[in-house]
């Protein structure tokens, strides 16, 4: 009965002046909410406390790897524009192309011809140089042969002169002592000198050169029959090659001709010039 009466009283409207406890309770709740908000806002506005600490490691620290460079993304390649169909060549284009081909072909042939001509010139130069070398060798061999032949001829003529001299001396020893005549002591005629020089020049061989025309003067001794007994150089021309050539020419002339009076002068002085 009491419970039913209490429930019934709660459902009844309140009497005037009965809201005091509720108001007080609402104020207390709002005050508590304000205090809680104040405390919460004040805690978040405080400066954070700084804490320092030293770290010690017993092993070496490995450096962090370098950042990998990432290649920038390439821009997409634009698609090529559609190609237009090539225009058909005209007769002028065909003629121009033919002319260019002919010009190129002519230039190529000219280059090949120049190269072939250069090759032939080189071959000709090499052949000419080889021919000159062979010619020099042949000339040297010919000169050596001539020198050997001249030496052998000089030795032969020297032996012949010695033999003639011994024979002439023997004849002179056995011959009776005769008296001289005016004709025997007379000088040779001018024509005889010219004939004698021409005879000796026919045996003269001279391959050198002379810048001047100086004469070599030679004395020749002969037996009464014209055999050359001796010869000696009285005056040099200044060129040993020419002097030796004159002496060899006299040695190649074993017998002198007789003068117009039928005799051979025993001693003659003859001059020989390179150019006469």
């Amino acid at each position: 009965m009491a419970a039913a009466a209490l429930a019934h009283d709660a459902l009844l409207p309140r009497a005037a002046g009965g809201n005091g406890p509720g108001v007080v309770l609402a104020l207390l709740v709002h005050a508590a909410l304000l205090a809680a908000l104040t405390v919460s806002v004040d805690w978040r506005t405080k400066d954070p406390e700084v804490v320092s600490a030293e770290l010690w490691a017993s092993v070496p620290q490995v450096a962090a790897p370098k950042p990998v460079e990432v290649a920038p993304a390439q821009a997409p390649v634009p698609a090529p524009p559609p190609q237009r169909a090539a225009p058909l060549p005209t007769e002028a284009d065909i003629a121009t192309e033919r002319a260019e081909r002919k010009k190129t072909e002519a230039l190529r042939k000219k280059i090949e011809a120049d190269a072939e001509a250069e090759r032939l010139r080189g071959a000709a130069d090499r052949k000419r140089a080889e021919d000159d070398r062979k010619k020099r060798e042949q000339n040297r061999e010919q000169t050596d042969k001539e020198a050997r032949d001249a030496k052998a001829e000089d030795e032969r003529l020297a032996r012949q002169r010695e033999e003639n001299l011994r024979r002439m001396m023997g004849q002179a020893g056995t011959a009776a002592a005769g008296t001289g005549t005016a004709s025997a002591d007379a000088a040779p005629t001018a024509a005889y000198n010219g004939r004698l020089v021409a005879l000796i020049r026919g045996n003269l061989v001279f391959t050198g050169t002379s810048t001047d025309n100086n004469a070599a003067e030679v004395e020749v001794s002969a037996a009464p029959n014209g055999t050359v007994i001796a010869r000696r150089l009285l005056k040099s021309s200044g060129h040993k090659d020419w002097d030796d050539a004159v002496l060899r020419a006299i040695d190649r002339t074993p017998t002198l001709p007789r003068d117009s009076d039928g005799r051979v002068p025993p001693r003659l002085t003859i001059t020989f010039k390179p150019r006469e």
Side-chain angles (χ1 to χ4, degrees):
M1 282 298 281
L6 184 56
H8 178 72
D9 291 336
L11 297 174
L12 292 179
R14 297 289 182 179
N19 294 329
V23 172
V24 173
L25 181 60
L27 291 174
L28 290 175
V29 171
H30 283 79
L33 180 58
L34 291 175
L37 291 174
T38 302
V39 171
S40 176
V41 171
D42 183 63
W43 175 76
R44 291 184 178 277
T45 57
K46 289 182 178 180
D47 296 332
E49 296 181 0
V50 179
V51 178
S52 62
E54 294 183 0
L55 300 178
W56 297 83
S58 59
V59 294
Q61 298 293 327
V62 179
K66 295 181 179 181
V68 179
E69 296 182 358
V70 180
Q74 298 181 353
V77 179
Q83 298 181 354
R84 295 181 179 180
L88 296 176
T90 62
E91 292 183 359
D93 296 337
I94 295 174
T96 302
E97 184 179 356
R98 288 177 179 174
E100 291 294 333
R101 282 202 301 268
K102 289 182 178 179
K103 186 185 300 183
T104 303
E105 183 66 17
L107 180 60
R108 182 185 64 80
K109 289 182 178 179
K110 183 178 183 305
I111 294 174
E112 291 179 353
D114 292 343
E116 181 66 15
E118 184 66 24
R119 186 187 67 79
L120 293 177
R121 281 195 297 269
D125 292 341
R126 289 190 296 272
K127 184 178 183 303
R128 184 163 50 252
E130 182 65 18
D131 293 341
D132 292 342
R133 183 186 65 80
K134 291 181 179 179
K135 186 176 181 181
R136 286 194 300 270
E137 291 180 356
Q138 292 175 356
N139 292 337
R140 183 168 58 251
E141 293 176 357
Q142 182 66 22
T143 302
D144 295 342
K145 182 179 182 301
E146 290 179 356
R148 291 192 300 269
D149 294 343
K151 183 178 180 182
E153 183 68 14
D154 291 342
E155 293 175 355
R156 184 186 67 80
L157 294 175
R159 289 192 301 268
Q160 183 178 357
R161 283 196 306 272
E162 292 177 359
E163 183 180 352
N164 293 337
L165 183 59
R166 286 194 300 267
R167 186 174 65 253
M168 293 299 104
M169 293 301 292
Q171 292 177 357
T174 57
T179 59
T181 62
S183 59
D185 296 335
T189 62
Y192 179 79
N193 281 336
R195 190 154 51 94
L196 182 59
V197 170
L199 176 63
I200 295 175
R201 276 189 174 273
N203 297 323
L204 193 148
V205 177
F206 180 62
T207 59
T209 57
S210 178
T211 57
D212 49 42
N213 199 28
N214 295 336
E217 188 173 320
V218 183
E219 182 185 72
V220 180
S221 299
N225 63 350
T227 302
V228 176
I229 299 174
R231 88 281 189 276
R232 67 188 180 96
L233 184 66
L234 295 180
K235 182 180 178 182
S236 173
S237 64
H239 303 282
K240 186 176 183 304
D241 294 342
W242 175 248
D243 296 341
D244 293 342
V246 171
L247 295 177
R248 285 195 298 269
I250 296 174
D251 294 339
R252 294 189 181 98
T253 310
T255 303
L256 301 182
R258 295 181 182 273
D259 201 349
S260 59
D261 57 1
R263 71 178 183 87
V264 177
R267 185 173 289 105
L268 296 167
T269 300
I270 312 172
T271 57
F272 296 89
K273 293 183 178 181
R275 296 186 293 275
E276 282 185 345

